């Protein structure tokens, strides 16, 4: 049974401006520890790829927060929600801390998809109640 659906579109130019203005502090606010390592590697090789990485993660976390119906308030935080890629390349969400405990207590599971194109990153999230 569907618990919630969330979608988000993010202007990549806005993320680029935030990174230019605040540097790594902005990335640290939005990205979990594992995501920070990936962002640093991607940014070192191709800075634009790093910007897109932050934008897609920002969008995915916004979509997830909408699907669970709490927005960005506890236990939902940017850093407790991590977007990873499975070996197949499929995106997946890994939760940490209080958010993980809350999510598991509700008996929920999540499905996420992300895309980016020139100026925008978009995400769609479905959260379902396990049977």
């Amino acid at each position: 049974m569907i618990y919630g659906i969330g979608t988000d579109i993010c202007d990549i130019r806005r993320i680029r401006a935030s990174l230019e203005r605040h540097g790594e502090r902005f990335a640290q606010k939005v990205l979990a520890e594992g995501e920070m390592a990936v962002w640093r590697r991607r940014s070192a090789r191709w800075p634009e790829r790093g910007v897109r990485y932050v934008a897609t993660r920002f969008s995915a976390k916004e979509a997830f927060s909408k699907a669970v119906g709490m927005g960005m308030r506890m236990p939902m935080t940017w850093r407790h929600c991590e977007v990873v890629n499975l070996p197949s390349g499929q995106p997946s969400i890994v939760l940490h801390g209080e958010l993980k405990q809350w999510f598991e207590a509700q008996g929920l599971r999540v499905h996420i998809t992300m895309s980016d194109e020139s100026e925008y990153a978009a995400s769609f999230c479905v959260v379902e109640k396990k049977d």
Side-chain angles (χ1 to χ4, degrees):
M1 176 174 83
I2 293 178
Y3 179 87
I5 298 172
T7 189
D8 187 74
I9 187 165
C10 174
D11 189 328
I12 295 172
R13 295 167 297 190
R14 192 175 119 222
I15 298 299
R16 185 180 301 108
S18 293
L19 285 166
E20 288 170 358
R21 192 169 38 256
H22 303 289
E24 192 164 306
R25 271 192 355 231
F26 177 74
Q28 287 175 330
K29 177 183 176 185
V30 174
L31 302 176
E33 191 175 317
E35 292 169 320
M36 281 297 296
V38 174
W39 173 71
R40 285 183 181 121
R41 282 194 310 272
R42 289 185 179 191
S43 295
R45 288 186 54 186
W46 184 26
E48 183 60 22
R49 194 164 177 222
V51 171
R52 291 178 175 284
Y53 181 83
V54 175
T56 55
R57 271 54 192 173
F58 186 98
S59 176
K61 293 175 187 196
E62 282 282 339
F64 174 78
S65 74
K66 293 170 185 174
V68 294
M70 60 178 61
M72 285 298 173
R73 67 179 200 282
M74 289 300 285
M76 176 62 201
T77 68
W78 294 105
R79 295 181 52 81
H80 281 158
C81 181
E82 181 176 8
V83 181
V84 300
N85 289 91
L86 301 176
S88 65
Q90 177 185 359
S92 182
I93 291 186
V94 176
L95 303 175
H96 304 283
E98 293 176 43
L99 181 58
K100 178 180 180 178
Q101 293 169 1
W102 175 84
F103 195 78
E104 289 173 352
Q106 304 302 311
L108 302 175
R109 58 191 267 179
V110 61
H111 308 277
I112 187 83
T113 188
M114 307 176 302
S115 184
D116 64 279
E117 185 63 44
S118 63
E119 298 176 359
Y120 298 98
S123 298
F124 186 76
C125 181
V126 175
V127 173
E128 63 180 329
K129 188 95 168 160
K130 295 178 190 174
D131 292 331

